[in-house]
Amino acid sequence: MKKLIVLFLSIFCSVLSAKEVAVSVGAGENWKQNMAPQFAIWLEDSAGNFVRTLYVTKKAGKQNWIFAPKSGRPESLPVWYYSIASEIKDKNAQSTHKESFDAVTSATPKGGIVFDISIDDDSDYVIKAEFNKSFDYNDFYKKENSGVNGQPSVVYSARIPANFSKNSGEIKLDFAGLGSLDGTDGIIHIDTAHLTTAKSIVKLIAIKGK
């Protein structure tokens, strides 16, 4: 009986400390051009440790690529893939993790998207978003040197302070850099000199307390 009471109080307190946040993604000029973008949005703690995926497009989350190698396409969203790598070290964990995407995946929206999330009110977080379009070539990123990818993924991020609320205003995610062109690392690279249309996949990414 005491254990049940403790469990109930723990759940009750966690609900009280949770806050609702709306995440908005505004489609940019290059959102609808040629291929639909793949993207993932996730949370990390203040130390940079992966917390959870908030949203991911179905192809990226389920690795449902057409004519892709067995390794999938890690170059599509390399920063996100490497962020979740610690959770899929074995086959059982990988299966469980893929199943957990059912609640947060969908086909790429035709336009932007707005969705709500619940996060702990007492913690600092970093929210990151990564976007990529296949075959998004330009004069520098050609098929010969970038394969299916074209231009590499683009990454945006922002800090969500503890006690963030509807009175805190809106936080816009800032451009942070690029993902690995070939998917060999999860580093956010800062050499953006050769980006063109990849910079206009999204117009705005923001969070707002509810």
Side-chain angles (χ1 to χ4, degrees), residues 9-10 14-15 29 46 58 73 81 87 89 102 116 120 129 131 166 168 170 187 191 196 207:
L9 288 174
S10 176
S14 65
V15 170
E29 293 179 4
S46 57
K58 188 172 291 185
R73 287 199 53 224
Y81 283 129
E87 294 208 342
K89 290 181 179 179
D102 288 337
D116 296 338
D120 188 349
F131 300 81
K166 63 182 180 181
S168 303
E170 185 179 70
I187 298 170
D191 182 7
T196 53
I207 59 171

Side-chain angles (χ1 to χ4, degrees), residues 125-143:
Y125 290 103
V126 173
I127 182 170
K128 290 183 178 178
E130 185 172 23
F131 300 81
N132 180 262
K133 294 190 69 170
S134 300
F135 313 111
D136 194 11
Y137 301 118
N138 61 19
D139 290 340
F140 182 84
Y141 293 106
K142 302 178 180 181
K143 185 175 182 179

Side-chain angles (χ1 to χ4, degrees), residues 113-126:
I113 185 173
V114 179
F115 61 94
D116 296 338
I117 61 169
S118 180
I119 58 178
D120 188 349
D121 193 43
D122 299 324
S123 301
D124 285 336
Y125 290 103
V126 173

Side-chain angles (χ1 to χ4, degrees), residues 39-86:
F39 64 95
I41 303 173
W42 70 100
L43 283 182
E44 296 179 358
D45 64 22
S46 57
N49 301 304
F50 176 82
V51 175
R52 76 177 193 269
T53 300
L54 304 178
Y55 184 93
V56 61
T57 46
K58 188 172 291 185
K59 282 187 178 180
K62 302 292 185 180
Q63 288 289 289
N64 187 24
W65 306 108
I66 299 175
F67 303 121
K70 290 183 178 180
S71 59
R73 287 199 53 224
E75 76 280 4
S76 61
L77 300 173
V79 179
W80 176 70
Y81 283 129
Y82 273 83
S83 294
I84 65 173
S86 61

